[in-house]
Amino acid sequence: MLKEKMKVALNKQVNAELWSSYLYLSMSYDMADKGFHGFEKWFASQAKEEFEHARKIAGHIQAMDGKVALEPIAEVRQAWNSPKDAFEDTLLHEKKVTEMIHFLYELATELKDYATVHLLQWFVDEQVEEEETARDILAAIQKIEKNEAAMYLLDQKLGNRA
Ligand code: MG
């Protein structure tokens, strides 16, 4: 059984993951508007991943006999100045998500909710990857942003993301 405090916090994270999905979907459309169709695909895949994160947490709430509460999703930004701007935003956002996951992990530990600790361990590891990926792509963009041909190749490369 989920304790009330844990349930409320996990439901809040479901909403945060859906908001992340919404944010990356918005970036995807904006990249398409700017003609970066590889970045478009990359952010669309990212949006799907975030949707699955929401479902993973919601599934855990249900498995623990809790009620999933889907709240309204707040508005997201609609345009970025460049792919670099979008990835700077991505890295900042992922750092915030990491903090949220760590807060949940601490709460689950305090409450001795070991099933939730186990679920959150997956998210702790996932966040290490998310931050690393965003940092790597941002570093690549910073090296080549003034070179249109190189940006074209990076866009193509990122479009190959499964
Ligand atoms: Mg996520």
Side-chain angles (χ1 to χ4, degrees):
M1 272 283 281
L2 265 184
K3 296 202 170 77
E4 182 64 21
K5 208 174 168 188
M6 196 74 243
K7 188 190 75 185
V8 169
L10 287 173
N11 265 313
K12 218 176 137 195
Q13 192 62 31
V14 169
N15 189 273
E17 299 291 341
L18 289 173
W19 191 85
S20 295
S21 182
Y22 219 43
L23 174 71
Y24 293 132
L25 195 57
S26 186
M27 286 182 182
S28 173
Y29 290 128
D30 188 48
M31 291 301 110
D33 288 345
K34 292 175 165 62
F36 292 107
H37 294 290
F39 290 116
E40 171 193 2
K41 274 199 196 164
W42 192 92
F43 280 116
S45 296
Q46 190 68 19
K48 272 191 201 162
E49 254 196 42
E50 300 302 343
F51 185 76
E52 288 309 319
H53 290 169
R55 292 193 65 218
K56 196 176 175 92
I57 297 168
H60 177 77
I61 294 171
Q62 291 212 294
M64 300 276 287
D65 204 21
K67 174 79 185 146
V68 174
L70 295 180
E71 303 279 339
I73 303 166
E75 200 178 342
V76 289
R77 188 171 162 185
Q78 290 177 1
W80 285 264
N81 299 323
S82 61
K84 185 176 123 185
D85 188 24
F87 274 97
E88 279 170 351
D89 220 4
T90 297
L91 181 57
L92 264 177
H93 178 62
E94 290 303 332
K95 284 181 178 174
K96 276 187 211 148
V97 174
T98 299
E99 282 176 22
M100 290 181 211
I101 296 295
H102 289 182
F103 165 80
L104 290 171
Y105 191 98
E106 280 162 29
L107 181 63
T109 307
E110 254 174 51
L111 296 173
K112 298 187 171 27
D113 179 348
Y114 299 113
T116 302
V117 168
H118 183 72
L119 171 89
L120 291 169
Q121 185 61 56
W122 185 90
F123 280 91
V124 169
D125 297 341
E126 176 70 11
Q127 282 311 117
V128 173
E129 255 183 55
E130 297 280 35
E131 283 192 33
E132 184 187 21
T133 304
R135 220 171 27 241
D136 283 354
I137 297 173
L138 184 58
I141 294 174
Q142 280 164 343
K143 274 184 207 144
I144 63 167
E145 62 180 320
K146 300 223 162 54
N147 180 333
E148 278 188 29
M151 276 300 281
Y152 177 80
L153 288 176
L154 180 65
D155 183 55
Q156 294 248 304
K157 186 182 164 213
L158 290 185
N160 291 331
R161 176 179 177 174

